[in-house]
Amino acid sequence: MKRKVLPIILSVSIIISLCAAAIIYLYTPKHMDLTYDATYYLTPKPIDSGKWILEKNAAGFIYYLYLPEKYKTNNEDASAKLPLIVTFHGSYDKGNAFRYGRYFIEDNVQKRLGPNGAAVLIVFARLNYFTDPHGTSLLIQNVCIKNKCIDKDKIVAYGHSQGAKFVVELACAEPKLLCGVISGSGFYQMTAKELLSVLPVNFYFATSSDDKGIFEQGSPTGKRCARFCRNSRYVEYKTRHHFWVELKDTTGKKNKDGTDETALDWLASVVNPENK
């Protein structure tokens, strides 16, 4: 009897070990090797507009980059390890692009995102909406190559509306690029295969049930991300309509000290997991 049972026990143990190894692998963040591309790297002389640096590359992307003052003229300092927040506006909504970027350069936010602050990249759609995950990934990668003070393993994409749909699409297309995604009123419909590829990515997904058409498409993805992806949140409102995530928004969870967790608390835990 024992001779029959032992092989079964051994087989079950092997299967369990393989399943555990597969789960660990799927949830382990993957590191991206940055790809240099002259079309995305080379730009005319940047324009210094105070806190922001304006650039336009040969691929047609216009973007503003914020670096903490210390690193604006010392962007080769790789020891800074600045997280990078990349923001995406909604369809035909370039006028609001700076609104989202400014959230992340406020002093209290910069202090929460890292000991040296954080870099912020405002990307403008080449058309009136975002359509090119691969090209956008190359843009972000080459900004990191040009600015060694940025930590390529701590990139978070923030989007509203069509930009919120796009940041989820970007994560699915380039799962090694992002460690976090903030999607407010997004409507990307993620497949099961895509979900498996983004399990290590931290998602903050928020929708409102009175946002007709958007809610029906986006909420299933948000719920699945919150259930299966690393350190993820799904927040659902009743009457907020078509909105963007504000850093003071609460997630429905509690911090260790018993206070309500905010979107900023969550973001700080994503870019500084050692301090969670």
Side-chain angles (χ1 to χ4, degrees), residues 108-120:
N108 65 310
V109 176
Q110 285 282 306
K111 290 176 182 176
R112 290 293 309 279
L113 296 184
N116 297 312
V120 183

Side-chain angles (χ1 to χ4, degrees), residues 14-255:
I14 292 172
I15 292 171
I16 292 173
S17 298
L18 289 173
C19 290
I23 291 171
I24 292 171
Y25 173 78
L26 288 171
Y27 277 94
T28 300
K30 313 301 187 294
H31 301 284
M32 171 171 275
D33 294 325
L34 300 179
T35 300
Y36 169 80
D37 189 313
T39 307
Y40 295 86
Y41 183 94
L42 300 175
T43 63
K45 185 177 180 181
I47 299 174
D48 190 333
S49 60
K51 292 184 176 182
W52 299 90
I53 301 167
L54 168 63
E55 293 188 315
K56 179 178 181 179
N57 64 27
F61 278 104
I62 298 173
Y63 54 93
Y64 283 85
L65 176 66
Y66 169 86
L67 296 174
E69 190 64 33
K70 180 179 177 181
Y71 301 102
K72 197 174 179 182
T73 56
N74 187 26
N75 64 348
E76 293 288 316
D77 185 0
S79 68
K81 293 190 176 299
L82 301 176
L84 174 64
I85 313 299
V86 189
T87 67
F88 297 85
H89 59 77
S91 179
Y92 291 87
D93 196 28
K94 293 181 181 179
N96 270 324
F98 265 102
R99 176 199 297 269
Y100 314 128
R102 282 196 293 265
Y103 287 157
F104 299 100
I105 69 169
E106 296 178 0
D107 287 343
N108 65 310
V109 176
Q110 285 282 306
K111 290 176 182 176
R112 290 293 309 279
L113 296 184
N116 297 312
V120 183
L121 182 66
I122 300 175
V123 181
F124 290 84
R126 288 178 289 188
L127 301 171
N128 283 306
Y129 43 86
F130 297 98
T131 60
D132 183 6
H134 178 68
T136 304
S137 173
L138 284 173
L139 164 65
I140 295 170
Q141 291 180 59
N142 280 272
V143 167
C144 292
I145 292 171
K146 290 175 70 172
N147 299 276
K148 294 182 174 57
C149 57
I150 294 174
D151 187 343
K152 68 182 181 67
D153 293 323
K154 292 184 178 181
I155 303 175
V156 176
Y158 169 102
H160 164 60
S161 190
Q162 197 272 327
K165 178 254 189 187
F166 183 76
V167 293
V168 181
E169 182 180 4
L170 178 61
C172 292
E174 299 277 6
K176 294 181 182 179
L177 177 68
L178 304 174
C179 72
V181 167
I182 300 176
S183 175
S185 299
F187 49 96
Y188 188 75
Q189 295 173 291
M190 189 184 294
T191 66
K193 182 178 179 181
E194 288 173 329
L195 180 62
L196 281 175
S197 74
V198 297
L199 291 177
V201 180
N202 304 258
F203 285 88
Y204 186 110
F205 211 108
T207 62
S208 181
S209 58
D210 67 345
D211 192 8
K212 299 302 180 184
I214 303 299
F215 174 78
E216 288 80 2
Q217 296 179 76
S219 58
T221 293
K223 291 172 182 176
R224 284 194 290 267
C225 288
R227 182 174 181 181
F228 294 108
C229 295
R230 175 190 293 270
N231 184 36
S232 293
R233 307 285 185 269
Y234 173 67
V235 183
E236 185 174 304
Y237 299 95
K238 297 293 185 184
T239 57
R240 197 165 172 180
H241 194 54
H242 202 58
F243 67 98
W244 52 82
V245 173
E246 298 186 38
L247 297 182
K248 65 182 180 181
D249 290 344
T250 55
T251 68
K253 292 185 176 292
K254 295 289 186 180
N255 295 312

